[in-house]
Amino acid sequence: MREILPALAHWHAAGTPFGLATVVSVSRSAPRGPGAAMAVGPDDEVVGSVSGGCVEGAVFELAQEVVASGEARLATFGYSDEDAFAVGLTCGGEITLLVRPVTPESDPAFGAVAASVVGGEPVTVATVVDGPAPRGATLAVWPDRAAGTLGASGLDVAVTADARGELALGASALRHYGPHGERREDAVTVFLQSFAPPPRMLVFGAIDYAAAVARIGDFLGYRVTVCDARPVFATPKRFPGAVEVVVDWPHRYLAGTDTDDRTVICVLTHDPKFDVPLLEEALRRPAAYIGAMGSRKTHEERLERLAEAGLTQAELSRLRSPLGLDLGARTPEEVAVSVAAEIVALRWGGSGAPLTTTAGAIHPPPG
């Protein structure tokens, strides 16, 4: 959804109705997870994807139908060996989509939600999927306010509380309620889709490898900052326009920067006077990934210095060094791919092994 919001916001601001299909649940192997979206707008323009191409043709027709009728629909796509010509997922999984019409009248808060997502302000959108409440009705929930309604005040109150809980986690989920928000009932199904600010990638050391890592980090959706104490290297023109460049001692900058369990830290300084105090700070704070560049000899010497600085074995075990997967990478761009691959594998529990050597679902549902 985040990627297609600029187009949707433009249509909404122009008062143009469009059909929006959102993945609300998946089972077994599926190409895209909950929250993936596709929209059909004016002149049959299509943005986004819900399956990587398997069912987009059928979804296109559904989106046109809901715009014409003004009524949201729920659709499930799987794969049937009995009907080889049926529309379905060739991966063998199943996805359920909510396809709803979006107009300024039916969803007046849509523009505000889009502006919040673009501006990095956290917001959760709750949408009725099924049950006695109006299907497709939406409630936008910010930390300090809400807009819209799901059709019943009690339901709005219960969903608002849960939406703020999901927003704190940056998570999206299906929730079930009674018609008036009663807990432990499942008459009404609501999809809570959270738009938390993008996670941060902190790259230390403004070398050629850093430029490549910053580019791929930006591509993966991270808010990237490159930091180096040497102003001759830490110049904005060496990095993509979306990347923040900071001139400061790495450990001092990190000490004054908030990190969380989604933050990625890549230490490419390759100099003990920079990377030892930096890693001493990094390994004692929350982060999803902490990787450091260097040879195996450099890594061993670095571990010795960090242990002398008082880091425990548990803290040292968090360090991914040498960083990246073994791809045989040589160029900065190839190294950046290996680093990105390790970050993705760690995030989702992947093995990093070639798929030809593994078994089971290629796209396991999130745990």
Side-chain angles (χ1 to χ4, degrees), residues 312-325:
T312 67
Q313 189 59 44
E315 290 168 337
L316 293 175
S317 68
R318 300 178 62 204
L319 179 61
R320 317 284 292 195
S321 175
L323 82 176
L325 297 185

Side-chain angles (χ1 to χ4, degrees), residues 79-88:
Y79 182 78
S80 171
D81 290 330
E82 288 75 27
D83 187 354
F85 294 99
V87 175

